[in-house]
Amino acid sequence: MDTMLEARLQTQQRNTQNTQETSLWSSGFGMKLETVTPFLGKYRPFVGRCCQTCTPKSWESLFHRSIMDLGFCNVILVKEENTRFRGWLVRRLCYFLWSLEQHIPPCQDAPQKIIENTGVQNVISGRVPSGAGEGQVPGLEKKEVQRILGHLQAPLCPFLLRLFSWALLRFLNCVFLNVQLHKGQMKMVHKAAQAGLPLVFLSTHKSLLDGILLPFVLFSQGLGVLRVAWDPRTCSPALRALLKKLGGLFLPPEANLTLDSSEGVLARAVVHAAIEQLLVSRQPLLIFLEELPGAQGPRLSALGQTWLGLVVQAVQVGVVPDAMLVPVAITYDLVPDAPCDVYQALAPLGLWTGALAVLRSLRSWGHSPRVCVRVHLAQPFSLQEYTINARSCWGSRQTLEQLLQPIVLGQCTVVPDTEKEQDWTPATGLLLALKEEDQLLVRRLSHHVLNASVTSSAVMSTAIMATLLLFKHQKGVFLSQLLGEFSWLTEETLLRGFDVGFSGQLRCLVQHTLSLLQAHVALLHVQQGDLLVVPRLGPGLTHLARLSAELLPAFLTCAVRGLLAGRVPPEGPWELQGIELLSQSELYRQILLLLHLLPQDLLLLQPCQSSYCYCQEVLDRLIQCGLLVAEETPGSRPACDTGRQRLSAKLLWKPSGDFTDSDSDDFEEAEGRYFRLSQQSRCPDFFLFLCRLLSPLLKAFAQAATFLHQGQLPDTELGYTEQLLQFLQANAQEEGFFECADPNLAVSAIWTFRDLGVLQQTPSPAGPMLYLSPTFTSRENQEKLEQFIRQFICS
C-alpha cells in the first residue's frame, strides 16, 4: 500500500513520468501478447425476453429455445460469400457489389394518399372560408399541406441509399473492430415480420451515429429501409435534406403549437396521416426513446414519446389491426462522437461538420484503438396485447411529496402502500392532443420498453473496468490483481442474467480496455516488473463514473445497500455485525424508502411490477449471492418444520393465478422473519463494493441538501443548477469526490427536491423560478433531509 501511495504522489507532482507512461501505452505493457479481438462468446445468457405479465402470448409465440444457440455475426464483415459472384475482382469490390444487391422497395405515391386522407380533408374543409371561390383556396391549402409534408419526409432515393451504404460500410470497418448482432434475436424479428404487421423499433440513444448505424444494420439483415424519427434540433437544414432522402422523418415545428392554433391543427393532421400511411405500407419505423447523453434533462425523450403516441393512436383507431414493438439497444466500448465535455450545449450537426468528423476518424485509423459495438434486439411484442393487459396493472399512485416528506420530517414512520408517480418528461402538442388515459398509456409503455432495452444490453469491458477503478481501487491497483478482479466482476455480471459484450484471452481484454481508457488512467512501472494502474484525478473520475453507470442495472442488490450501510461501520469488525438480526419487515421498509428517493429515470422499474415485488426480488438476490443468511429467532418454530402446522387452519397452497392473496400472506408472515449478515471471507469486500455503486448520486443529493441554506433563492432553474454545480465542483476539489461533480446529477437533485416539496416552482418570463418551500426554510428541517439521505450512504 505504501508503494501505491508513493507512486500516486509521484504521478501528481512530477511531470517527468509522462514520457515513461507514453512508452508503456505504445509497448503494450512490456508483454509480447498476440492481439485477440474481443469478439463475443457463443455461450452467454440469452436476454431480451418480453414481459410475461403484459404480453404472455407474444412471450410464448415469438420464441424458441433453438434460437439461443445461433451465436453472433459481425454485421460489417462483408466478404465474397455475401455476394452472388466469385473471383479475385469480387474480393476487391465486395462492398460495392453487396450494396448493389440490397433490396430497396419501390417508392409509392405517399404524398397524394396523405393529401387525400380523411383527417387532412376535414381540416382543410374547416379552414376554407364560406365566400371563397371554388378551387382557389383549396389550392393554397394543398400547397400548405405539401410544404408541411416536405418538412416531414421526402421520397427515397435508391441511388443515394446504395452509395451511402457502400461508403458507410467502408467507414465502419475503419472505425470499429466489429458490430455484433445475435442471430437468434434477428430470427425473432424476422418471425414477427412474417405476421404481416408493421415493425416499430424503439431504441436507446447513445450517440448521434445511432441514427445511421441502426438503419444500416437492419437494412443489411433484409428488413428494408427504415424510417428514422430524427430530432430536428441535432441537424442543420442541409443535413436534414440529405437524411430525408435516406429515410429520415422530422417533426414539423407547427405540430407543437397550441391545440387551438389552426396551423398546428393542420400540421398534426398531416403528421397523423403520414404515420398511418407508413404503417399501412408496413415500412419499419425507428424511434429513439432516450435523449442524447449530452442533453441535460429527463432521460426519456419527449419527441420519442410523441412519435410513439402517434403509433398507439393509429392502432387504436383501427388504421392497422396491430403493430409489433421491438425494443432495441446499442452499446459501445466508448461512444465515438462524445466530446471531452458531453454536457456542453449540442449545436446542430451540419454537412461540413459531419464530413470533418469522418476525416478525423479516418486520420486516426491505426493510431488509436478501435472500439467494439453490440446491437441488441429484444423479443418483439404486440402493441394491441400490451394495451389490453397493461390497463389492468394500473393502481393508485402518489407524488414523492406525499410519500416521503412526512417520513423525512419525522411526522410518520409507515410507508404508504402505493406506487410513486414521477414523470420528468414534458408533454408536447401532439401528445397533449390525446386523451389523458392514452397519454398515461404512452408514458408507461415508454418506461416499459426502455426497461426492456436496458436489461437486454450487454455490459462492455470499459464499464467493468471503470467500475473496478472507481469503486474499489481509486488509489491504484496492480495489474496482476486487476486481472483477477476483472474476471470476478465479469462472472458476477453473467450470474445475474446479464450478457457481456466481449470474450477472449484475459490479458488481451484488459490490455484492450486500458488502451481505450488511456486518457483517464495512468500506468506506472513498479518493483518486480508489475504495473500499477492509477485513475487520473479530476475529469477522469467523472468520466469513469459515467461509464460505470452502465453496470447499475445488472446489480439489483445495489438498491438495498442503504438499509445495510448503517449496520456496518467502516471501522468495526465484520464478524461482530453478523450477530445483529435484521427484520424482514424493516428491510422492506428501507428498500421502499430508497426506491422512492431514487429517480425513476435511474431505476426504470416496469410499470406492471409493484414496489413490494421489487423488494422481494432484491431480497432474494441478496440471499442468492450469500450476503444475507436466514436466522431463526429464539423460541420460534424453525421455518423448515412443517410437521406441526395445522392444515385445517390455513391451506398450504394457493391457486397459481391468485397473486394478490399470496403476496399479502407473504408480507404478513414477514414480521417473524429475520436475517443476519453473512460471515464469509469474501462478503465484506463484495458488500462494500455494492454499497459504493450508488454513491455518486446519493452524495450529490446529500451535498444538494447541504447547499439549501447557502444557495441564492429565488432563482431560475438554470441559474440554481449552475450554483449547485459550482458547489459540487468546489467540494470535489476539497474532498476528492470528482464523480459527484456532474451536471446531470445536479439536475436530478434539483428535480427530486422539487418533487419532494423542498423546492417550489412558479412560472416567470425568464423561465421557471425556484424558491424554498416554507416547510424547509428552517435549518432543522434541512438537516433532517440531509440526515435522511446520508443514512443510505456507506463510507
Side-chain angles (χ1 to χ4, degrees), residues 591-613:
I591 295 174
L592 282 175
L593 291 178
L594 185 56
L595 289 181
H596 291 329
L597 177 64
L598 295 177
Q600 185 69 29
D601 283 1
L602 173 69
L603 293 174
L604 289 178
L605 300 181
Q606 292 183 348
C608 61
Q609 184 181 24
S610 68
S611 299
Y612 282 99
C613 292

Side-chain angles (χ1 to χ4, degrees), residues 631-765:
E631 181 75 8
E632 305 294 345
T633 56
S636 65
R637 177 179 49 79
C640 59
D641 185 8
T642 60
R644 298 183 182 181
Q645 293 186 7
R646 299 181 60 183
L647 299 182
S648 59
K650 189 175 184 180
L651 292 177
L652 295 181
W653 59 271
K654 289 282 185 182
S656 59
D658 192 6
F659 296 109
T660 305
D661 292 344
S662 301
D663 292 343
S664 62
D665 293 339
D666 290 341
F667 294 128
E668 289 174 4
E669 295 174 1
E671 295 291 338
R673 296 176 184 171
Y674 290 85
F675 299 90
R676 59 178 173 82
L677 297 177
S678 174
Q679 300 184 36
Q680 298 178 12
S681 58
R682 61 179 289 273
C683 280
D685 290 339
F686 186 40
F687 169 74
L688 294 175
F689 167 73
L690 292 177
C691 284
R692 297 188 182 111
L693 285 180
L694 281 177
S695 59
L697 176 69
L698 292 174
K699 286 178 180 177
F701 279 21
Q703 293 180 19
T706 307
F707 183 67
L708 287 176
H709 70 279
Q710 302 180 23
Q712 302 296 323
L713 288 174
D715 195 357
T716 61
E717 185 176 304
L718 181 60
Y720 191 68
T721 302
E722 293 176 354
Q723 289 186 50
L724 179 58
L725 182 59
Q726 292 175 3
F727 179 76
L728 294 177
Q729 291 171 344
N731 276 357
Q733 295 292 337
E734 295 177 4
E735 303 176 8
F737 297 135
F738 291 95
E739 60 270 23
C740 301
D742 193 310
N744 262 12
L745 294 182
V747 172
S748 295
I750 291 175
W751 287 5
T752 301
F753 285 4
R754 185 187 61 192
D755 293 345
L756 190 56
V758 179
L759 299 173
Q760 294 183 353
Q761 180 176 297
T762 57
S764 71

